[in-house]
Amino acid sequence: RRTTMALNKTDRRREQICAIIADNGGSSHLATILKVSRQAVDDWYRRDVPAIPQKHWPVLLKAGVSLADLAGVVE
């Protein structure tokens, strides 16, 4: 995981999404698996409210991403 200090909830979520992307082979690899553009994957963390669209959760769950991480639950 990243060691950067998050300033607020949005920053923590952005870091969490970046970690999910990195842990799963990067934007290009995930885009290929999900059949979307690399830009679409990068937009997950670039939005004002960072989020991974729920339509991609089943594939990410099969890849080993936890439901808590997908939902942005802070432990």
Side-chain angles (χ1 to χ4, degrees), residues 2-22:
R2 306 236 185 308
T3 57
T4 309
M5 289 290 291
L7 301 175
N8 58 44
K9 187 176 180 180
T10 299
D11 289 341
R12 282 192 301 271
R13 183 64 182 141
R14 197 175 315 280
E15 287 179 7
Q16 191 176 33
I17 291 171
C18 287
I20 289 169
I21 292 170

Side-chain angles (χ1 to χ4, degrees), residues 9-71:
K9 187 176 180 180
T10 299
D11 289 341
R12 282 192 301 271
R13 183 64 182 141
R14 197 175 315 280
E15 287 179 7
Q16 191 176 33
I17 291 171
C18 287
I20 289 169
I21 292 170
D23 291 348
N24 285 279
S27 299
S28 295
H29 181 70
L30 267 181
T32 300
I33 291 170
L34 298 171
K35 297 180 174 121
V36 297
S37 69
R38 184 184 58 78
Q39 181 66 40
V41 173
D42 288 341
D43 284 345
W44 296 350
Y45 63 86
R46 290 183 176 153
R47 296 179 182 145
D48 289 338
V49 179
I52 297 173
Q54 287 185 354
K55 66 183 178 184
H56 300 307
W57 289 17
V59 173
L60 293 169
L61 286 167
K62 287 180 184 175
V65 180
S66 74
L67 185 56
D69 284 347
L70 289 173

